[in-house]
Amino acid sequence: MVNVLKGVLVECDPAMKQFLLYLDETTALGKKFIIQDLDDTHVFILAEVVHILQERVGELMDQNSFPITQK
Amino acid sequence: VALTAAKGVLRVQLQCKNLHEYLKELSPEILDRLYNHPATCLAVYRELPPLAKNYVMRMLFLDQPLPQAAVALWVKKDSEKDHDQCVSVLSGLRLWHSQQLQGGLQGNILNPVFKDNLRIALLGGGKSWADQGDSLGPDRHARDVESLDKYALERWEVVLHFMVGCPSAAVSQDLSQLLIQAGLMRTEAGDAPCITSAGFQFLLLDTASQLWYFTLQYLNTAQTRGMDLVEILSFLFQLSFSTLGRDYSVEGMSESLLTFLQHLREFGLVFQRKRKSRRYYPTRLAITLSAGVSANSSSTAMGATPGTGDSGFIVVETNYRLYAYTNSELQIALVALFSECLYRFPNVVVAQVTRESVQQAIANGITAQQILHFLRTRAHPVMLKQNPVLPPTITDQIRLWELERDRLQFSEGEHKYGLYLQCIYSLCLSFILQGLGCLVWQNVAHRVIVVSPQGHGEVKRFWKRQKSHT
């Protein structure tokens, strides 16, 4: 018996995956989007949240960086 | 062309084919007609790897095929790989083909058309390649090498300016059509054309690669314009063997060749005083063209871009500051593509490479590799003295900024789990799918696989077959 689900496979490093799980738990994107947690570096998610997810990740990276310029 | 998706923007990677790759893609009849011209044969011969050149020379004056076993004996036992590579290059370009010898062995013989024309090229004879301008008498408006170089650079920069979007640059309708067809610019209905991500990447290449890529695009569209590809290519190779500073006459050139000449005039490959002039001067750009791209991105020995009189002008410091000693609007616009300009002086532009500016460039479709290539090929002589040329901190950081955007990698898939019963079958399935290339991920222990959408059909069929067996 086989179950088939449609979605998108995400590959990332373990730290980023924890971030995805966090977003999912707090339903920060408006709904739960993780269909299944596959292993340390792979997650299976809904197809439609891909863009918003990229934005969120971008925001996280922006928060963690600081400008080192001297003018 | 490699595609990656980021934020909904498709990043297309520019690939510059070199001469041989381009020729391999042409159909056999065209290739054979092409080899009818000695200039082409010589140009192709010039680009061969040394071992292949050796083989061709050895077989040049033989009229009979040579057994393949004999050819294989020409190399030592441990150079088998080189021999095989050589054989594939020669067959790919249709320079030789196999023929059966009388004893039933397989033999190799050089393509007869290629053979005759290469002989002519090396020994002389046959028709003269291009009519010298002598028949027209001395040119009252003769141009010397320097002014030719300046002209060539000017024209080519106008094309690049047009791509960057400077309002002062104006090019002909034909040329903007060609840019659009090459994928370097795109136009929405009726608006002026604007640059694409491939166009950005194109801008950061060095001049020789740009010319070559552009010429290849032109050749690809030549047939749709009703021009004869063979004629144009032969003329191009002929140009590459002409002497800089010498004028040639347009006697005997057909209509399509004359149109081609006008286009070349617009790119700066050829100089003609007026449209109706009967003589033309090839410029340095044309001559270095077919020496083109065989060693482009890997050659760090290139300090100066060919066709430009000056050498590199960019200095990069470890505090992410960039100093560009140039006045040219175009170069400044290119530097501004990936850095923030801070100050501008009469001969220097001071800029800073920041996270925002680099990520903006990446969002536009430029890769970190290209930014680094751009900086390396235009590095100031002072920079060239240090090894490595660019400070490692800068190169690493630019790459890291690029990777930041790629922390997540997506692949479309369908997830199948619960292959509880026939674990053997799940293994078979995964082997099949790997062969078909649509397996995205699998976890054999849990009997879970993810397949790409194309694989879904295959899997369904496989599954139905298995079910009907049990």
Side-chain angles (χ1 to χ4, degrees):
Chain A
M1 216 213 34
V2 185
N3 291 339
V4 183
L5 296 168
K6 270 194 159 55
V8 175
L9 178 75
V10 181
E11 180 179 345
C12 53
D13 48 278
M16 193 48 67
K17 192 192 123 179
Q18 292 306 315
F19 180 64
L20 290 185
L21 290 178
Y22 166 74
L23 284 180
D24 190 54
E25 261 177 55
T26 57
T27 55
L29 281 86
K31 60 182 169 208
K32 292 209 178 286
F33 58 90
I34 291 190
I35 301 178
Q36 185 158 47
D37 181 356
L38 297 174
D39 68 7
D40 269 346
T41 49
H42 293 83
V43 180
F44 205 69
I45 64 171
L46 288 177
E48 55 237 13
V49 299
V50 165
H51 288 296
I52 319 174
L53 202 58
Q54 282 278 47
E55 269 175 38
R56 278 310 175 97
V57 169
E59 274 169 39
L60 176 71
M61 301 270 73
D62 283 338
Q63 277 171 352
N64 285 342
S65 79
F66 54 93
I68 43 173
T69 59
Q70 82 252 46
K71 297 237 167 132
Chain B
V1 170
L3 298 164
T4 49
K7 285 196 175 163
V9 171
L10 267 180
R11 274 193 260 161
V12 175
Q13 209 142 38
L14 264 193
Q15 264 178 354
C16 272
K17 295 183 276 201
N18 65 10
L19 178 61
H20 283 182
E21 284 166 26
Y22 174 70
L23 287 178
K24 269 192 236 189
E25 289 179 6
L26 295 175
S27 71
E29 309 86 45
I30 296 193
L31 263 187
D32 283 338
R33 273 175 60 209
L34 208 56
Y35 289 147
N36 248 323
H37 206 282
T40 322
C41 299
L42 194 56
V44 171
Y45 173 75
R46 218 169 39 167
E47 296 291 317
L48 287 174
L51 191 57
K53 280 189 191 160
N54 199 314
Y55 283 16
V56 168
M57 275 294 116
R58 284 190 190 197
M59 298 176 61
L60 191 56
F61 290 98
L62 295 177
D63 282 325
Q64 285 152 340
L66 208 57
Q68 278 178 351
V71 176
L73 280 179
W74 286 345
V75 283
K76 291 207 277 210
K77 277 283 179 331
D78 36 353
S79 312
E80 281 289 328
K81 231 174 27 118
D82 296 321
H83 172 77
D84 290 330
Q85 191 209 22
C86 194
V87 166
S88 70
V89 165
L90 287 174
S91 327
L93 290 170
R94 290 179 56 83
L95 291 182
W96 75 9
H97 33 254
S98 37
Q99 207 180 317
Q100 197 133 47
L101 294 172
Q102 271 164 342
L105 292 170
Q106 281 295 335
N108 283 322
I109 184 167
L110 274 188
N111 185 336
V113 175
F114 178 75
K115 190 167 59 173
D116 292 332
N117 282 295
L118 190 58
R119 281 193 212 169
I120 294 179
L122 293 174
L123 305 174
K127 255 183 6 154
S128 80
W129 293 357
D131 295 319
Q132 319 288 15
D134 305 335
S135 54
L136 297 170
D139 189 7
R140 280 171 303 148
H141 305 275
R143 289 295 189 105
D144 62 341
V145 174
E146 244 180 63
S147 67
L148 280 181
D149 276 346
K150 217 161 58 94
Y151 171 78
L153 197 55
E154 243 178 67
R155 293 298 325 162
W156 187 242
E157 286 207 349
V158 168
V159 176
L160 295 182
H161 264 285
F162 176 67
M163 285 181 67
V164 172
C166 290
S168 55
V171 295
S172 72
Q173 200 49 358
D174 259 354
L175 190 52
S176 59
Q177 265 308 81
L178 183 63
L179 284 172
I180 294 173
Q181 274 169 342
L184 297 175
M185 302 191 79
R186 79 168 156 256
T187 161
E188 273 93 65
D191 287 340
C194 66
I195 195 168
T196 62
S197 91
F200 276 121
Q201 296 177 25
F202 177 78
L203 281 177
L204 291 186
L205 291 173
D206 52 288
T207 317
S209 317
Q210 281 174 337
L211 268 176
W212 186 243
Y213 181 82
F214 202 67
T215 316
L216 283 184
Q217 295 299 322
Y218 184 89
L219 291 173
N220 281 340
T221 59
Q223 267 168 337
T224 56
R225 274 177 232 244
M227 295 192 189
D228 186 7
L229 186 61
V230 172
E231 241 186 345
I232 299 183
L233 263 180
S234 321
F235 182 64
L236 211 52
F237 286 128
Q238 219 174 284
L239 262 188
S240 73
F241 286 113
S242 26
T243 346
L244 189 57
R246 200 112 177 251
D247 57 325
Y248 294 88
S249 96
V250 302
E251 292 296 322
M253 284 171 66
S254 69
E255 261 316 304
S256 65
L257 268 187
L258 284 173
T259 330
F260 183 53
L261 195 65
Q262 289 309 317
H263 285 151
L264 287 181
R265 190 171 164 230
E266 193 165 2
F267 307 157
L269 291 177
V270 145
F271 170 73
Q272 221 182 357
R273 203 169 67 84
K274 285 191 288 208
R275 209 187 159 83
K276 293 288 182 194
S277 276
R278 277 173 308 145
R279 56 178 95 228
Y280 64 92
Y281 291 83
T283 64
R284 199 188 293 272
L285 292 184
I287 293 178
T288 55
L289 182 60
S290 74
V293 182
S294 34
N296 55 351
S297 46
S298 49
S299 73
T300 46
M302 251 177 44
T305 56
T308 59
D310 45 24
S311 53
F313 56 88
I314 295 189
V315 176
V316 183
E317 287 184 337
T318 51
N319 59 356
Y320 298 90
R321 283 238 177 165
L322 202 130
Y323 301 89
Y325 289 87
T326 178
N327 266 328
S328 148
E329 285 294 337
L330 177 67
Q331 302 295 345
I332 296 175
L334 290 183
V335 165
L337 280 180
F338 58 86
S339 63
E340 275 177 38
C341 280
L342 295 174
Y343 314 114
R344 187 165 169 185
F345 296 110
N347 66 334
V348 193
V349 170
V350 181
Q352 185 123 30
V353 179
T354 62
R355 182 170 174 271
E356 290 80 23
S357 63
V358 170
Q359 291 194 333
Q360 174 69 28
I362 290 175
N364 275 334
I366 308 176
T367 65
Q369 190 53 33
Q370 280 160 340
I371 298 180
L372 295 174
H373 175 73
F374 176 82
L375 289 174
R376 263 188 217 114
T377 48
R378 288 155 176 86
H380 197 273
V382 164
M383 296 269 295
L384 290 176
K385 288 194 202 133
Q386 49 179 346
N387 182 16
V389 176
L390 294 178
T393 42
I394 308 289
T395 53
D396 287 347
Q397 185 63 286
I398 293 185
R399 289 212 186 96
L400 283 175
W401 280 331
E402 181 189 37
L403 286 177
E404 251 186 42
R405 289 288 159 213
D406 283 341
R407 287 200 77 168
L408 298 178
Q409 271 156 6
F410 300 100
S411 37
E412 288 269 323
E414 288 176 353
H415 173 112
K416 296 182 180 340
Y417 62 90
L419 296 161
Y420 298 120
L421 302 174
Q422 301 94 348
C423 56
I424 312 167
Y425 287 158
S426 76
L427 279 173
C428 290
L429 195 55
S430 67
F431 282 128
I432 292 180
L433 291 174
Q434 263 163 354
L436 290 172
C438 40
L439 181 71
V440 175
W441 181 85
Q442 62 169 340
N443 184 336
V444 186
H446 292 143
R447 298 194 203 109
V448 176
I449 53 176
V450 180
V451 302
S452 63
Q454 297 95 316
H456 182 57
E458 291 296 321
V459 176
K460 272 193 357 199
R461 265 174 268 149
F462 178 84
W463 194 249
K464 289 206 178 101
R465 266 182 289 151
Q466 295 305 328
K467 287 189 83 164
S468 60
H469 275 213
T470 56

